[in-house]
Amino acid sequence: MRLVVNAPINKVSFGNVSYNILKELYKRKEEVEVIFVPLGQIDMSSFDTVDKGFIDWLNDCAKDNFSRIRKDDVALKLWHINGSGSLCCRQQVLYSFYELDSPTELEKSIIDYQDATIFSCSHSADQFSESSNVFSAGLGFDNDFKFLDKKYFDDESVHFTLMGKAEKRKNTSAIIKAWLAEFGNDTRYRLTCLITNPHLNQEWHKEFILDALGGGSYNNIAFNSWVEGNSQMNDILCSSDVDLTALSGAEGWNLPAFNAACLGAHIVGNDCTSHKDWVGNIQKGRFHQVEGSAFEKVNSEDGVFFIDGSNTNQGNINALVDLPAASKKMREASEAVLEEKASDDEYNYIKKRAGLKLQLNHAYEHTVDRILEVVKEL
């Protein structure tokens, strides 16, 4: 079987997904001949534990790529809907994300233009149910990340994490405010925020943080800059006792929250949009759900990424409006962590046992299986 892969490899979400799908195809190199056509400049700097054999294979796949493409080849394109109107081959399968609930005519037209489209979650596929040849294939755990047998904090403290670009869509400000209302300046609890948005300048971030802090001063919240490599991110994920990222209001999968859960963190979140595809597989007692009544459907317009009247990215998100309800679940999760740390079982063993269950249920092996099934059916 031959497959032309037209995809980015870089530091952001699409680059990470492309990297992991290509890693799985590398394992199948005897079964699938890949011709790699990169979208944009290749940036491997985040993948600092990558196997040299994979790099050599990828370079071979990219060498003389266009001269090797045949008329009857099928392309797998990994990209945003907007920007996927161009075809890399006469037949193309698009793998994409969609977070909102109101596809525009242009977005529907681009999806109809593909020979098939695979979305990263069932929510996205449901929004395009009127289009033909639309499927879903969930993401998997990035096995560059490992369980690290380290003790990051003492047994009387709880470390919370909040990850992903600061955005209205992700409820970033509301999550921080809810956490501060419950734990602000109580040094037994700390929150690490990795919310740098690479598309926005330093002044925007400064104003955003000031607003999220409500003008207050707190000694137990930290705002970390962009994490450069997977090794550093691995430590951050393993240090998390409770992750809050799944309180986001609209996602195509939510890789940071998912990876944290796969490494054993308790999750405070919702089952909105893509979350419903994986939170149900978290070990019982480790998903602390903030009920839907704490969220309100609001227009996604934020003046930056979602602009009213645009021919793409229109629709609603689930805004977190009941902050006390979120605070209550954060407290519930923290108490569960402290109970685990006080138990007879070793804490890292408890986390590893819980995370493995989710890893086994969601692996890139399954993602690529589904992609290849769709390609073969064309």
Side-chain angles (χ1 to χ4, degrees):
M1 179 182 182
R2 289 164 56 90
L3 184 65
V4 178
V5 179
N6 185 206
I9 295 184
N10 52 40
K11 298 178 181 179
V12 294
S13 295
F14 256 114
N16 183 282
V17 172
S18 300
Y19 166 73
N20 277 284
I21 287 175
L22 283 162
K23 276 200 308 178
E24 183 60 33
L25 289 169
Y26 169 59
K27 296 177 186 176
R28 309 179 191 208
K29 58 182 182 288
E30 302 302 323
E31 172 192 346
V32 184
E33 178 187 350
V34 171
I35 300 169
F36 180 48
V37 180
L39 267 170
Q41 189 71 29
I42 295 176
D43 180 0
M44 297 285 291
S45 59
S46 291
F47 311 113
D48 54 358
T49 61
V50 65
D51 172 32
K52 184 181 181 300
F54 170 75
I55 297 291
D56 292 341
W57 170 82
L58 191 63
N59 287 333
D60 287 343
C61 291
K63 186 177 180 180
D64 301 324
N65 46 20
F66 281 105
S67 66
R68 293 160 51 213
I69 296 175
R70 302 172 185 166
K71 287 183 179 180
D72 59 348
D73 281 335
V74 177
L76 170 67
K77 189 185 193 83
L78 289 94
W79 198 236
H80 307 277
I81 297 174
N82 186 22
S84 293
S86 61
L87 298 180
C88 191
C89 293
R90 293 185 178 185
Q91 287 186 294
Q92 178 166 286
V93 175
L94 174 65
Y95 189 96
S96 195
F97 300 156
Y98 181 78
E99 303 98 346
L100 303 180
D101 60 0
S102 303
T104 66
E105 291 304 313
L106 175 61
E107 288 168 333
K108 288 187 278 189
S109 177
I110 292 171
I111 296 305
D112 287 338
Y113 189 58
Q114 313 297 317
D115 292 278
T117 299
I118 305 172
F119 284 108
S120 57
C121 68
S122 60
H123 165 82
S124 305
D126 289 345
Q127 309 313 303
F128 290 87
S129 59
E130 295 179 2
S131 298
S132 60
N133 278 358
V134 170
F135 309 91
S136 67
L139 300 182
F141 177 65
D142 183 346
N143 59 18
D144 277 6
F145 298 127
K146 312 292 183 186
F147 290 103
L148 302 177
D149 192 15
K150 295 182 180 181
K151 185 172 183 177
Y152 294 91
F153 303 102
D154 63 58
D155 289 344
E156 289 73 42
S157 65
V158 179
H159 180 219
F160 291 80
T161 49
L162 176 61
M163 298 176 279
K165 303 183 296 292
E167 286 185 47
K168 172 184 174 180
R169 168 176 68 91
K170 292 178 176 288
N171 290 324
T172 313
S173 181
I175 296 168
I176 293 170
K177 289 175 180 176
W179 187 87
L180 289 172
E182 188 71 20
F183 302 106
N185 287 327
D186 185 340
T187 55
R188 294 172 299 173
Y189 307 90
R190 64 192 75 196
L191 172 62
T192 298
C193 300
L194 288 90
I195 58 171
T196 298
N197 194 321
H199 306 292
L200 300 170
N201 61 34
Q202 190 173 356
E203 188 61 31
W204 184 93
H205 284 92
K206 183 178 179 181
E207 291 179 8
F208 179 89
I209 291 171
L210 286 173
D211 175 72
L213 296 178
S217 178
Y218 298 93
N219 61 5
N220 60 340
I221 181 171
F223 294 89
N224 288 10
S225 58
W226 185 268
V227 175
E228 288 299 329
N230 272 359
S231 296
Q232 186 180 359
M233 178 57 76
N234 201 159
D235 262 313
I236 291 167
L237 289 167
C238 286
S239 73
S240 179
D241 297 315
V242 182
D243 186 71
L244 308 178
T245 313
L247 285 165
S248 173
E251 292 288 345
W253 188 257
N254 201 336
L255 280 169
F258 172 74
N259 285 330
C262 283
L263 290 171
H266 283 257
I267 300 297
V268 178
N270 58 50
D271 64 354
C272 302
T273 61
S274 66
H275 296 159
K276 66 184 180 182
D277 286 1
W278 58 268
V279 295
N281 288 322
I282 295 174
Q283 184 174 296
K284 186 177 180 181
R286 303 186 76 83
F287 175 51
H288 307 269
Q289 183 175 352
V290 179
E291 297 297 334
S293 57
F295 297 86
E296 181 179 294
K297 289 280 187 183
V298 301
N299 191 295
S300 62
E301 207 282 333
D302 61 7
V304 181
F305 303 104
F306 303 91
I307 299 172
D308 271 347
S310 172
N311 55 13
T312 59
N313 290 334
Q314 303 293 292
N316 299 302
I317 63 170
N318 301 282
L320 176 59
V321 293
D322 187 347
L323 303 193
S327 299
K328 181 179 178 181
K329 288 297 180 177
M330 294 175 191
R331 175 65 69 178
E332 175 185 285
S334 72
E335 290 174 352
V337 167
L338 291 173
E339 285 181 15
E340 288 174 358
K341 289 185 174 183
S343 74
D344 292 333
D345 288 336
E346 202 271 326
Y347 179 57
N348 281 348
Y349 171 74
I350 294 172
K351 291 183 71 177
K352 183 175 183 178
R353 184 177 58 199
L356 280 172
K357 178 178 183 285
L358 194 60
Q359 289 183 30
L360 292 171
N361 277 295
H362 298 278
Y364 273 102
E365 176 186 357
H366 307 318
T367 312
V368 171
D369 281 346
R370 186 63 179 130
I371 289 170
L372 296 180
E373 283 176 11
V374 172
V375 170
K376 289 173 182 176
E377 288 171 4
L378 293 180

